[in-house]
């Protein structure tokens, strides 16, 4: 049974930083594509970033480009989302997802990701 476990969420003041982590288990699971999504109550889940091993990451939305960085530690089977210069609009539940290669290709959808974490809350205050 593959499981994804997020951590690192919390409360931070605007302008601050957080680093989210998502560890996959069992260690033998090695996804070809990782993704970070976020969701506000009553809104659709939106992708923030995705990473295919050995490739340049994709970032979605001008608001996160230059502020968010997705990275992977293969040894720990973990993917990270470094979030800097946080704004009030970044407050949301953040989810990590993992899936096959096509989840990181052009013709992808949210359903392309096979596994999801339970989410970690990020609250940015003024």
């Amino acid at each position: 049974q593959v499981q994804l476990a997020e951590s690192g969420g919390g409360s931070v003041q605007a302008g601050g930083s957080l680093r989210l982590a998502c560890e996959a288990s069992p260690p033998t699971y090695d996804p070809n594509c990782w993704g970070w999504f976020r969701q506000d109550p009553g809104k659709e889940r939106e992708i923030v970033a995705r990473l295919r091993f050995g490739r340049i990451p994709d970032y979605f939305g001008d608001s996160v480009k230059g502020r968010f960085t997705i990275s992977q530690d293969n040894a720990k089977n973990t993917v990270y989302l470094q979030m800097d210069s946080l704004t009030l609009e970044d407050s949301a539940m953040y989810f990590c997802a993992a899936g096959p290669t096509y989840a990181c290709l052009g013709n992808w959808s949210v359903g392309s990701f096979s596994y999801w974490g339970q989410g970690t809350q990020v609250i940015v205050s003024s």
Side-chain angles (χ1 to χ4, degrees), residues 42-99:
K43 294 185 179 181
E44 291 188 357
R45 192 169 297 187
E46 64 174 4
I47 190 167
V48 173
R50 68 182 182 186
L51 177 63
R52 183 178 167 194
F53 181 71
R55 303 299 180 99
I56 297 173
D58 296 318
Y59 296 97
F60 297 80
D62 291 337
S63 65
V64 305
K65 292 177 182 177
R67 298 190 301 119
F68 289 13
T69 304
I70 186 172
S71 62
Q72 182 180 5
D73 185 337
N74 276 345
K76 298 180 179 179
N77 216 22
T78 299
V79 67
Y80 302 95
L81 185 67
Q82 177 69 39
M83 305 186 295
D84 298 319
S85 302
L86 286 162
T87 70
L88 301 181
E89 289 70 32
D90 294 318
S91 295
M93 184 73 79
Y94 284 73
F95 299 87
C96 72

Side-chain angles (χ1 to χ4, degrees), residues 103-121:
C104 273
L105 298 180
N107 194 24
W108 72 283
S109 67
V110 173
S112 301
F113 287 89
S114 306
Y115 301 100
W116 293 83
Q118 293 187 336
T120 184
Q121 185 73 50

Side-chain angles (χ1 to χ4, degrees), residues 1-4 23-31 77:
Q1 180 87 9
V2 172
Q3 292 186 330
L4 304 181
E23 182 178 5
S25 62
T28 52
Y29 176 63
D30 184 16
N77 216 22

